[in-house]
Amino acid sequence: RVQQIYREVVDGYGLSQRVAGWRSLESKAAYSEGDYTELDKALVAASRSLIEQDGAEVIALLGAVMAGVPRRIQNAVPVPVLDGIRCGVPQAEMLVKLGVPKPTTGSYALPGQRAVSNVDAALAAMLSKKPG
């Protein structure tokens, strides 16, 4: 169900041309504890399909539920297998280490102060606090 959301995000960043292909698995196994053998087989098959049919040179497993999965299947897939958490955390750490300021303009900037009306005074006070 979420593939369309991912496609829209990728398209919104202007990166659709960089995606070789998409595959979705209809499995709830990733959301349960236990044996992931069948899930991993399906992920490897989907990865090989992307490589062989679409020319993929990297496999990106999407969704937080895929965090850590590349370690389980990498040996069976002949191209790098990545997940968003494993990629995102080092990027966030790098930004902290660089000490770059937060953007004050553009799409990553915090939205400007907004007026709050018709709410309890305590809630209005809490909403007006600046992030610390």
Side-chain angles (χ1 to χ4, degrees):
R1 291 187 329 189
V2 300
Q3 187 183 117
Q4 186 58 37
I5 295 169
Y6 289 123
R7 285 178 180 254
E8 289 171 8
V9 169
V10 169
D11 189 51
Y13 283 111
L15 298 172
S16 293
Q17 296 298 320
R18 306 283 310 267
V19 177
W22 298 84
R23 299 294 186 276
S24 293
L25 298 181
E26 296 298 326
S27 172
K28 295 181 182 176
Y31 298 94
S32 304
E33 291 186 42
D35 184 15
Y36 298 117
T37 303
E38 292 305 312
L39 173 65
D40 290 354
K41 284 181 187 177
L43 289 167
V44 169
S47 297
R48 289 186 174 275
S49 171
L50 282 162
I51 295 162
E52 294 163 9
Q53 295 176 18
D54 301 318
E57 296 179 356
V58 173
I59 303 298
L61 302 179
L62 302 178
V65 72
M66 291 289 116
V69 172
R71 283 185 238 122
R72 295 198 317 253
I73 69 169
Q74 182 63 77
N75 289 338
V77 179
V79 300
V81 181
L82 308 172
D83 73 70
I85 302 299
R86 188 164 184 215
C87 294
V89 169
Q91 288 180 349
E93 289 172 341
M94 178 195 60
L95 290 173
V96 170
K97 287 178 185 176
L98 289 173
V100 295
K102 293 179 182 179
T104 57
T105 189
S107 62
Y108 292 114
L110 291 173
Q113 191 71 12
R114 296 188 176 148
V116 177
S117 61
N118 297 323
V119 298
D120 183 86
L123 178 58
M126 189 172 80
L127 292 172
S128 68
K129 289 183 183 177
K130 293 195 184 251

